[in-house]
Amino acid sequence: TQVDLSEITITINQFVPEVYAYFDFEVDEQTKTATLTSFNESLAEGKTDIVIPASISKNAEEQWIEGNAYTVESIGGSVFRGCPSLTSITLPSSLTSVGNFAFSNCSSLTGELNLGECTSLTSIGDYAFWECRGLTGALNLGECTSLKSIGENAFSDCNGLTSITLPEGLKSIGNSAFDGCSGLTSLTLPSSLTIIGDRAFLRCSGLKEVIIDSEY
């Protein structure tokens, strides 16, 4: 009996890690959680689409691989700051915080930023997406039901954003958080808000309508 192998690809002894060498993490042994602390763009070899895993482990060679030993909860400060080749990101649902300057000045980061899957996200740090001018369309935070704070200048000068959905439960918007978002045309503020920082929506020249929840 003959077997047709013409459409079958066989790969032998090829190690393909799920978490690549350009990531580094710090782990907390007590809580079994991990923070993404650095990204080495030179090792990424021009990779433009970055997927951050929900959990990590190590293999016998001490290389990071995808696994359930540590849950990835945080992105540290300045991890992707000024990364010119980054065009899109996929964030894990386990994410609880985005650090200061984490994605600031990522000039090639384009399209809509949908964080709706990040239901555990509690905070977006200062300058987290500052000057990400390639972001366009909607910023969806509406399903981030754990989100309590948006930091200073978090989305300032993201002038391609046209709409923002904020979640009920959000407590504070930092100073200049959306300063310079000139493409923004309408905004609804949730009743849970207690703090809106100075200049939070300064230079939002396209803003035509602001709806404040009647309970606010």
Side-chain angles (χ1 to χ4, degrees):
T1 302
Q2 291 184 336
V3 178
D4 184 4
L5 299 178
S6 60
E7 300 298 325
I8 298 176
T9 299
I10 300 175
T11 303
I12 301 175
N13 294 332
Q14 183 178 356
F15 174 67
V16 183
E18 293 296 326
V19 181
Y20 300 94
Y22 47 71
F23 283 153
D24 198 13
F25 298 90
E26 288 183 359
V27 298
D28 187 319
E29 292 290 349
Q30 184 173 1
T31 62
K32 294 298 181 181
T33 58
T35 297
L36 175 59
T37 56
S38 67
F39 168 73
N40 190 322
E41 188 180 5
S42 63
L43 294 179
E45 299 179 352
K47 191 174 179 64
T48 58
D49 301 320
I50 300 296
V51 177
I52 299 172
S55 61
I56 57 169
S57 184
K58 278 190 174 183
N59 61 13
E61 287 74 34
E62 291 296 302
Q63 296 167 309
W64 289 116
I65 59 174
E66 189 171 18
N68 58 11
Y70 306 96
T71 301
V72 178
E73 288 197 346
S74 305
I75 298 174
S78 301
V79 170
F80 296 97
R81 183 176 184 175
C83 181
S85 63
L86 183 63
T87 61
S88 66
I89 52 172
T90 301
L91 302 175
S93 59
S94 57
L95 191 68
T96 61
S97 64
V98 177
N100 298 342
F101 293 94
F103 296 96
S104 65
N105 199 226
C106 287
S107 56
S108 297
L109 192 60
T110 59
E112 294 187 353
L113 182 61
N114 185 350
L115 300 180
E117 297 295 322
C118 298
T119 54
S120 299
L121 186 65
T122 61
S123 64
I124 297 174
D126 298 344
Y127 294 88
F129 293 92
W130 172 53
E131 289 191 342
C132 288
R133 294 189 171 95
L135 294 177
T136 57
L139 170 62
N140 179 15
L141 300 172
E143 296 175 36
C144 300
T145 53
S146 299
L147 186 64
K148 302 303 180 186
S149 64
I150 297 174
E152 295 184 6
N153 292 93
F155 294 94
S156 60
D157 291 314
C158 292
N159 52 17
L161 296 178
T162 57
S163 66
I164 301 170
T165 304
L166 299 174
E168 189 63 41
L170 183 67
K171 296 294 185 182
S172 66
I173 297 175
N175 296 340
S176 302
F178 297 95
D179 180 13
C181 292
S182 55
L184 186 63
T185 58
S186 64
L187 177 69
T188 300
L189 301 177
S191 62
S192 55
L193 265 177
T194 58
I195 298 173
I196 300 176
D198 295 339
R199 307 173 303 280
F201 298 96
L202 183 69
R203 296 186 299 139
C204 291
S205 56
L207 193 59
K208 307 294 185 185
E209 179 183 41
V210 177
I211 300 172
I212 301 176
D213 193 288
S214 60
E215 297 180 12
Y216 176 69

